Amino acid sequence: MSESRQIMSLRHVEVFNAVYQTGSVSGAARALNVSQPSVSKVLRHAESRIGFTLFRVVKGRLVPTQEAHVLFQEARELYMRVESLQETAKNLRHGAAGNLRLAVLPSLGLEIAPSAVAKFHEANPAIAFDIQTLHNGDILRSLYERNSDLALTHDAPHHPRLASMKVGSGELVLLFRKEDMPNPPQTVPLDMLKGRDLIRLSGTGAVGTIFTNDIAGGDGKTASISVQTYYVAASLVKRGAGVAVVDEFTARASLSDEMDFRMLEQRPTFDIHCVHLEDRPLSGTAKKFISVLQKTIKSARLDIRNRA
């Protein structure tokens, strides 16, 4: 078999991917914004190059062959990488020195990031911000694809393409309704959580690991509800679903006539990191913002301790 018969081009992969996912030539044509004859032609050419049929017509519908199912698993990964490359190129083209694109975890996007951005924007009104709240795995991809310049997260990534610096720390505290714990001590021992509905933070990040190992006894059996974000946990507490161990910044943002929080005797702590691409040094704007962020975190922690 000749070499030319074995190779699919990126155009072949693009059309194959579109036909496979839409289930028709017409659907692929609409997705790719090309004509149906063009899609059919590229698809036939792809089949001639690889030497087997990708789709069969069954009762008027295109049905992938077994070979197509196998090929799609490889093609999907390749196509995602191509899309990632295109997204990176677009973001590089539209990037501007007067912009700061920030990706933050939801727990840090409720109190810390908005406070820092507001303070920075007041002193630097010409700087535009683009803020995304993303989960941990999505934050790393956001940096790779240059959708963000700087990420604010609990985990220091162990990756050769990423660099990080610690900008502060925080503590896990117990958030509760006052009517559920009318006379709480100044610091709460874990024994007080026994017999209560405990809302658990799920996930494998640094804070999730602290919860599992230090709060839930390593197996999470004391938790009746699991959530991925602290603000959902706080909302559940407010509605009487139980008590929750959350970060101190979410707890402070949740204070009301009905809600309160206390430090835990074990004082479980976590770090806060700013992450960026190793081969893309921080801009002067980013460095200034990090300085404001560090002061914001320090001030917020001081306020919380003065209240406690």
Side-chain angles (χ1 to χ4, degrees), residues 9-23:
S9 69
L10 287 177
R11 182 58 175 169
H12 292 147
V13 172
E14 182 181 39
V15 168
F16 165 67
N17 185 72
V19 173
Y20 187 98
Q21 295 200 65
T22 63

Side-chain angles (χ1 to χ4, degrees), residues 106-261:
S107 60
L108 298 173
L110 186 64
E111 172 83 2
I112 290 300
S115 296
V117 170
K119 292 175 184 177
F120 187 87
H121 186 66
E122 183 179 5
N124 304 273
I127 302 298
F129 274 88
D130 178 13
I131 306 171
Q132 306 174 64
T133 52
L134 301 171
H135 290 293
N136 208 54
D138 296 325
I139 278 183
L140 300 185
R141 182 174 180 181
S142 178
L143 289 169
Y144 295 153
E145 296 183 357
R146 297 179 187 261
N147 283 317
S148 58
D149 307 305
L150 194 65
L152 189 60
T153 180
H154 297 311
D155 296 301
H158 301 288
H159 194 287
R161 288 191 61 192
L162 298 177
S164 68
M165 62 180 296
K166 179 181 173 181
V167 293
S169 60
E171 189 170 320
L172 297 183
V173 300
L174 182 68
L175 182 66
F176 54 89
R177 290 195 309 177
K178 293 178 181 179
E179 64 181 273
D180 296 330
M181 293 183 67
N183 296 297
Q186 201 63 26
T187 58
V188 177
L190 292 185
D191 287 347
M192 281 194 66
L193 303 184
K194 292 181 179 179
R196 296 183 181 273
D197 288 323
L198 178 62
I199 299 165
R200 179 185 186 276
L201 179 71
S202 61
T204 57
V207 177
T209 300
I210 290 172
F211 184 100
T212 300
N213 293 340
D214 297 345
I215 309 301
D219 57 16
K221 290 180 180 179
T222 58
S224 58
I225 301 176
S226 294
V227 298
Q228 290 189 336
T229 54
Y230 282 135
Y231 63 81
V232 173
S235 184
L236 286 166
V237 172
K238 183 178 180 180
R239 286 160 176 78
V243 300
V245 175
V246 302
D247 69 286
E248 58 184 286
F249 310 115
T250 298
R252 186 176 73 158
S254 302
L255 283 176
S256 67
D257 291 339
E258 296 81 28
M259 301 273 283
D260 204 352
F261 72 89

Side-chain angles (χ1 to χ4, degrees), residues 263-308:
M263 303 293 178
L264 295 166
E265 276 190 358
Q266 285 71 15
R267 309 298 292 265
T269 60
F270 57 87
D271 293 331
I272 302 173
H273 300 268
C274 274
V275 187
H276 64 92
L277 288 176
E278 176 70 41
D279 60 0
R280 192 181 187 191
L282 292 173
S283 65
T285 297
K287 291 178 180 178
K288 290 179 181 178
F289 174 72
I290 288 174
S291 177
V292 172
L293 181 63
Q294 290 172 318
K295 293 175 183 177
T296 300
I297 296 172
K298 185 176 181 179
S299 176
R301 297 204 73 192
L302 183 61
D303 288 346
I304 291 170
R305 270 135 197 80
N306 287 340
R307 175 199 171 278

Side-chain angles (χ1 to χ4, degrees), residues 61-99:
R61 298 180 58 188
L62 278 184
V63 178
T65 62
Q66 184 60 40
E67 292 84 356
H69 287 306
V70 175
L71 189 63
F72 177 70
Q73 301 306 315
E74 297 293 331
R76 179 174 56 179
E77 182 177 346
L78 174 61
Y79 193 61
M80 287 176 62
R81 291 179 66 86
V82 172
E83 285 185 321
S84 176
L85 177 64
Q86 293 171 339
E87 185 72 13
T88 298
K90 182 189 73 174
N91 290 324
L92 285 171
R93 184 171 66 250
H94 295 298
N99 291 356

